[in-house]
Amino acid sequence: MTKLLILGANGQIAKLVVPMLANTLTEIKLTSLHGRPDKNIKSLDATNENTLAQALKDIDIVYANIGAEGRQKVVANSVVNAMHTAGVKRLIWIATIGVYDELPDKTRDIWSNVLGTVNNENTYIGDQAAAVARIEASQLDYTIIRPNELLDDNVMQQLNIQTERHEKIVGNPVTRTSVAEFITKLILNPTDYIKQSVALSEK
């Protein structure tokens, strides 16, 4: 049985992944900064390395879907250090497109005005990029997932999967349901996409 720790279990995508893993040989531990006892979600501050390392006991896979805006690099550093301490290797980390400055030319300036730039860690995209760089510099068996603009439609799409980090993003906005399905398949097939950064969009 695979033992999975979800960081950020209150997130919209994580909430879709959990039922998709039902009836599989996966034991799930749900955590979030703000616990939800009614949903079996335990409180856990992912920036606290010691507490996180304790939560990682006997865990096989960490799925981090943390919306820690302004603290992504701090959280990434804590997650990497705690996983090394606990001897856990497999990490699935949800980032965003744009962390390699790979947005199409026609939209780059628009998004830069809204989200900032990769070389400024004080901006949203810069913090995301710094977090990704920290994970890639680790010895973990990571997969970084970079969804295109997200949609709430409950639709399974055919996905365009890009694994070249600096390749310009092609395709259309992607549904959270489609992203959740991709993550679920990855949890069930954990040797796929190791040490790769995967951009997802609709074909």
Side-chain angles (χ1 to χ4, degrees):
M1 177 174 288
T2 299
K3 295 184 178 180
L4 171 71
L5 174 66
I6 298 181
L7 303 175
N10 280 322
Q12 294 181 66
I13 295 175
K15 288 178 180 178
L16 296 171
V17 170
V18 172
M20 289 182 183
L21 286 170
N23 302 317
T24 69
L25 295 178
T26 307
E27 180 181 317
I28 307 171
K29 183 188 292 187
L30 305 173
T31 69
S32 181
L33 179 61
H34 304 291
R36 289 283 305 276
D38 59 316
K39 300 293 185 181
N40 201 31
I41 299 175
K42 295 182 178 180
S43 177
L44 178 65
D45 183 354
T47 66
N48 187 321
E49 289 182 25
N50 293 331
T51 304
L52 182 53
Q54 292 173 11
L56 286 165
K57 183 179 180 182
D58 298 325
I59 292 296
D60 300 304
I61 302 173
V62 176
Y63 157 40
N65 202 152
I66 303 170
E69 187 169 341
R71 300 190 306 154
Q72 285 291 107
K73 181 182 177 182
V74 173
V75 171
N77 189 62
S78 176
V79 169
V80 168
N81 290 343
M83 289 181 68
H84 284 318
T85 298
V88 180
K89 293 282 289 182
R90 191 67 176 100
L91 172 64
I92 299 169
W93 179 271
I94 310 304
T96 184
I97 59 167
V99 294
Y100 306 108
D101 198 26
E102 78 279 23
L103 292 169
D105 293 338
K106 63 181 180 180
T107 59
R108 183 189 294 114
D109 289 344
I110 296 171
W111 285 110
S112 294
N113 289 333
V114 176
L115 302 178
T117 58
V118 296
N119 55 3
N120 183 352
E121 292 184 14
N122 293 318
T123 65
Y124 175 83
I125 202 72
D127 186 38
Q128 287 268 342
V132 166
R134 175 66 183 99
I135 291 164
E136 291 180 331
S138 75
Q139 299 301 309
L140 299 176
D141 290 335
Y142 63 81
T143 303
I144 294 161
I145 298 175
R146 296 171 284 131
N148 202 338
E149 183 180 350
L150 290 164
L151 303 173
D152 287 326
D153 302 341
N154 186 22
V155 176
M156 290 290 190
Q157 302 164 315
Q158 285 194 321
L159 292 180
N160 189 60
I161 300 171
Q162 295 174 256
T163 57
E164 295 297 326
R165 285 165 168 76
H166 299 280
E167 181 183 8
K168 298 301 181 186
I169 298 298
V170 298
N172 301 309
V174 63
T175 63
R176 287 181 170 84
T177 301
S178 298
V179 176
E181 183 187 39
F182 182 88
I183 293 167
T184 301
K185 289 179 178 178
L186 188 56
I187 291 167
L188 297 175
N189 299 277
T191 59
D192 291 350
Y193 297 104
I194 287 180
K195 295 192 184 300
Q196 290 190 298
S197 184
V198 180
L200 302 178
S201 55
E202 183 192 21
K203 281 188 177 179

